[in-house]
Amino acid sequence: MRAFLVVALLGCVAGCGPSPPPADQSEAPRSVVESPEYAARSLAGYDVVTIIVDGLRADRVEPETMPFLSAFANESLRFSDAASNSSFVLQSLASFFTGRPPTAGGTIGAYEAEPHDQTRAIAQYFADAGYYTGLLANHPLIQGTGFTKGFEEIEIARPNETLDDAHLVQRATEFLEDAGDDRVFLYVHLAGVLASPLCASDPAEDVDGPLHVARFAEHYATAFPPSQDRLDATVAAYDAAMRMADQHIQA
C-alpha cells in the first residue's frame, strides 16, 4: 500500500522583467534538520507527488469551478497566504525546483530561465535519498537541463505538440506502476489551458470570443473596455479549462 504526500500548486500568470545576475552561491552552514537532504530522507515513508495546474488562480479553487481540488484543499494543509517568486512561469518554477529566489541564484535568465547550473534541484535530493523520480509536463518551455536534472523518467511536450492533460495523467499512472516497491517523487505539470480558446492561434477574427492571454495589451489598447459579452466569454473559457484540469486530477 502506497502512502502519498500530494502537493497541489497553483499556476503562474505570464509576464516578467529581466532578472539580475545570480548571486554568490555560497551560503552560511545550515543544521542537518534544516537541510534539503534531511527533508528528503524524512519523507522516506511516503511517495511524493507534486501537481502544478498552470494558470490556476487561487480564487477559482471553488466547488463551482474545481469541485475535486476544492474538496481536496478543504481536507488538506492549505497555504492561503503564499506568493510566487516571479510572475513568469519559468522563473517561478526554477525557484520551486531550487528553493531559491531568482535574485539569489535560483534561476538564470528571463524568458529562457531555468535553475542555475550550480544549484542543486529538488529531484536530485530525492534521488540521493533513494527515490525513483519522474517529470511529466505538457508545457513545452521547461525543456532546459536545469529543470530535468535529478529526474530518471522524463516526458515533456515538444513545441507545437498537442497538449493533453489526460495523457499526462495516464503516464503518471504508468510511472507509479513501473516504480514497483520503490518510493517515488513525481512532478506533474498540467498545462492544458494552453490548448484552450484563451490561447487560440488567431483570435483577432473572433471579436465575440475570449480575450487572448498573450494579447491583453493589444486588446485593451484598441478596445477599452472590452464588451461585457467578451469578458463573459473569457471567464467561461478559463473556467472550462480549469474544470477540465480538475477532472483529470480526480482521475
Side-chain angles (χ1 to χ4, degrees):
M1 178 70 68
R2 290 188 174 276
F4 287 99
L5 175 63
V6 180
V7 182
L9 302 175
L10 308 187
C12 304
V13 294
C16 72
S19 60
D24 184 3
Q25 296 296 309
S26 62
E27 60 180 12
R30 294 172 297 183
S31 71
V32 65
V33 175
E34 296 173 324
S35 71
E37 295 91 342
Y38 177 87
R41 289 196 301 270
S42 69
L43 294 171
Y46 293 89
D47 296 300
V48 181
V49 179
T50 298
I51 302 171
I52 291 278
V53 182
D54 204 290
L56 174 57
R57 293 168 53 104
D59 61 1
R60 307 314 283 172
V61 184
E62 55 187 12
E64 293 77 11
T65 305
M66 306 195 79
F68 175 76
L69 191 58
S70 176
F72 177 79
N74 290 335
E75 298 173 357
S76 307
L77 178 62
R78 182 171 182 172
F79 296 92
S80 58
D81 192 23
S84 173
N85 279 308
S86 173
S87 61
F88 180 48
V89 60
L90 294 186
Q91 288 188 343
S92 62
L93 284 180
S95 289
F96 171 73
F97 275 49
T98 62
R100 294 173 177 266
T103 53
T107 180
I108 53 175
Y111 289 102
E112 75 283 8
E114 64 180 79
H116 196 279
D117 293 341
Q118 299 176 21
T119 305
R120 286 176 61 78
I122 185 171
Q124 293 174 293
Y125 292 112
F126 277 103
D128 290 346
Y131 276 70
Y132 179 48
T133 57
L135 185 156
L136 305 173
N138 55 3
H139 197 309
L141 294 183
I142 56 174
Q143 300 277 350
T145 56
F147 290 109
T148 60
K149 58 186 178 182
F151 287 104
E152 298 175 67
E153 297 292 333
I154 301 169
E155 182 172 343
I156 303 174
R158 295 181 297 273
N160 301 318
E161 186 177 7
T162 301
L163 301 169
D164 189 347
D165 286 350
H167 172 72
L168 288 193
V169 172
Q170 178 60 37
R171 286 288 293 112
T173 301
E174 294 170 357
F175 174 86
L176 295 174
E177 293 174 349
D178 293 343
D181 295 330
D182 292 340
R183 288 302 178 194
V184 303
F185 171 65
L186 175 61
Y187 174 90
V188 183
H189 190 121
L190 302 176
V193 66
L194 298 181
S196 76
L198 295 166
C199 297
S201 58
D202 185 11
E205 301 298 325
D206 185 7
V207 296
D208 297 321
L211 294 167
H212 191 269
V213 294
R215 299 176 63 182
F216 279 150
E218 177 183 334
H219 285 303
Y220 277 87
T222 57
F224 182 84
S227 69
Q228 187 60 50
D229 287 345
R230 190 153 202 192
L231 289 176
D232 291 343
T234 303
V235 173
Y238 175 84
D239 284 350
M242 294 301 105
R243 193 172 295 111
M244 185 65 67
D246 186 75
Q247 293 172 3
H248 290 311
I249 294 172
Q250 183 176 11

